[in-house]
Amino acid sequence: MPEGRVIRAYSNFCDVMVSGRVHRCTLRGKLRRQDVEVLTGDLVVVEIAADGTGTVREVLPRRSELYRPPIANVDTAIVVFTLKEPPVNFPLVDRLTVLAGRAGLDVVLCLNKADLCDPAEVEPVTRMYEKASYPMVVTSARTGEGLDRLKSFMEGRISVLAGQSGVGKSSLLNVLVPGWTRPTGEVSRKLQRGRHTTKWVELLEMPAGGFVADTPGFSRLELEGVDPASLAQDFPEMRDFAGKCRFPDCLHRCEPDCAVKAAVEAGDIPEGRYRSYLELLREAEEFHQRRYIR
Ligand code: GDP
Ligand code: ZN
């Protein structure tokens, strides 16, 4: 029986792509009785009937699972941001890298609207994220700059775009997946109405292979459940220093003999990233206190 990729999951059926063809499939009774949930992105074993419809026999183990929107097996989060229109908000960008890392995804940063900025403004940002070893691609959905490099990170993988509103996620999707346009008008209204029951998120096939979700990832940005004491581990360039502080429970804020602060002063941890860390730390602490301290 062939394996296929679920490109759209609804409550009681799903569309599965098998060797480039899409088959509408229902779940076999045993899976339904076990309350097995099929998500967009799932790899499934299907049995295809003569009329082209199919039955999902098995849902294969997931590599990752996002909740809002619900997508299984995403490999890469493309964190899109701009320096201008809208102005960059680094704590927001870094919050997305933390959430993506926690979800087990690879992070690729995409600085879009390059046509609006000077290379001299881009350079310090590139240097900042180099320390975290996140690849960064500088793109313009308008001029096409950087799109081939961006595609090379998405080939053969499942990606999701994330980033604040207005940075150009839809525009990038339009050029990455030619022929795709966001459903508008009547179709869109129907989908909106059904949003809570149909979990509508679709995987779009990219011409060079691989899929990208049509809906931005991480619509919930709260750091709920992130233990403040471990937040430094979500910043790859801080990890090595975080274990070398005098106090094992150091939060790297104002404690004495803090290896992280020393590394910031020495220029080994970029200041901008440390500022994001402090802001996210405050947020994680607020959640933590609300939950554990009354
Ligand atoms: P989204 O909210 O992240 O999906 O952003 P959109 O794709 O809707 O883009 C927001 C606005 O930015 C639109 O007016 C786009 O035309 C514009 N835009 C998107 N990409 C670029 C770009 O690379 N350069 C410039 N100058 N404008 C862009
Ligand atoms: Zn410390």
Side-chain angles (χ1 to χ4, degrees):
M1 271 183 277
E3 283 179 13
R5 183 70 66 185
V6 176
I7 58 165
R8 280 180 292 260
Y10 300 88
S11 307
N12 300 311
F13 59 93
C14 55
D15 289 336
V16 180
M17 188 177 279
V18 183
S19 329
R21 280 197 56 193
V22 179
H23 303 272
R24 178 138 298 184
C25 299
T26 49
L27 246 63
R28 97 191 254 205
K30 186 177 159 204
L31 297 184
R32 274 204 307 270
R33 282 192 298 278
Q34 292 170 342
D35 270 336
V36 170
E37 209 187 2
V38 175
L39 297 183
T40 295
D42 266 330
L43 198 57
V44 292
V45 177
V46 287
E47 196 176 345
I48 308 290
D51 67 357
T53 64
T55 310
V56 174
R57 310 289 300 190
E58 193 185 343
V59 179
L60 298 177
R62 291 171 185 149
R63 171 202 191 278
S64 66
E65 196 173 329
L66 302 185
Y67 297 99
R68 265 203 205 175
I71 325 176
N73 298 316
V74 177
D75 299 294
T76 307
I78 312 282
V79 175
V80 187
F81 67 106
T82 52
L83 296 185
K84 290 177 189 149
E85 301 183 23
V88 65
N89 176 340
F90 283 115
L92 180 59
V93 174
D94 295 327
R95 183 186 289 124
L96 286 165
T97 67
V98 167
L99 293 172
R102 293 229 158 200
L105 313 189
D106 293 335
V107 170
V108 174
L109 292 162
C110 173
L111 198 175
N112 189 40
K113 306 200 190 185
D115 54 295
L116 299 182
C117 43
D118 213 298
E121 299 168 291
V122 173
E123 209 263 340
V125 183
T126 309
R127 249 187 301 129
M128 174 165 84
Y129 284 116
E130 255 166 22
K131 293 267 190 204
S133 43
Y134 295 136
M136 188 173 109
V137 190
V138 181
T139 62
S140 168
R142 188 152 291 175
T143 67
E145 177 184 344
L147 293 175
D148 284 339
R149 180 150 181 261
L150 180 61
K151 281 182 206 164
S152 73
F153 285 107
M154 302 171 81
E155 249 175 64
R157 323 194 80 208
I158 300 182
S159 311
V160 65
L161 301 181
Q164 93 185 83
S165 165
V167 294
K169 298 180 297 299
S170 314
S171 308
L172 286 168
L173 275 181
N174 276 311
V175 288
L176 291 169
V177 189
W180 178 78
T181 40
R182 183 165 287 288
T184 52
E186 186 52 27
V187 182
S188 171
R189 273 193 297 280
K190 272 187 192 154
L191 293 172
Q192 289 295 341
R193 266 204 305 274
R195 181 136 285 182
H196 299 292
T197 50
T198 55
K199 307 177 287 182
W200 207 83
V201 47
E202 180 171 351
L203 288 186
L204 308 171
E205 198 182 25
M206 298 186 45
F211 293 95
V212 58
D214 74 337
T215 308
F218 306 101
S219 61
R220 265 187 56 186
L221 291 171
E222 294 100 57
L223 292 181
E224 190 167 5
V226 172
D227 175 11
S230 72
L231 183 65
Q233 298 302 318
D234 296 298
F235 287 70
E237 70 275 53
M238 290 190 191
R239 270 176 217 152
D240 287 347
F241 298 104
K244 295 182 181 137
C245 303
R246 187 205 297 184
F247 301 108
D249 58 352
C250 187
L251 292 176
H252 325 298
R253 189 153 40 201
C254 44
E255 296 88 341
D257 294 332
C258 169
V260 170
K261 270 195 301 172
V264 175
E265 272 152 40
D268 292 325
I269 294 173
E271 256 174 59
R273 289 273 290 169
Y274 180 62
R275 275 196 298 274
S276 288
Y277 166 79
L278 291 178
E279 182 155 340
L280 300 184
L281 179 64
R282 221 170 15 243
E283 241 176 70
E285 281 176 330
E286 270 169 33
F287 271 112
H288 205 68
Q289 278 162 4
R290 249 182 279 157
R291 182 178 298 178
Y292 298 105
I293 303 164
R294 278 172 181 268

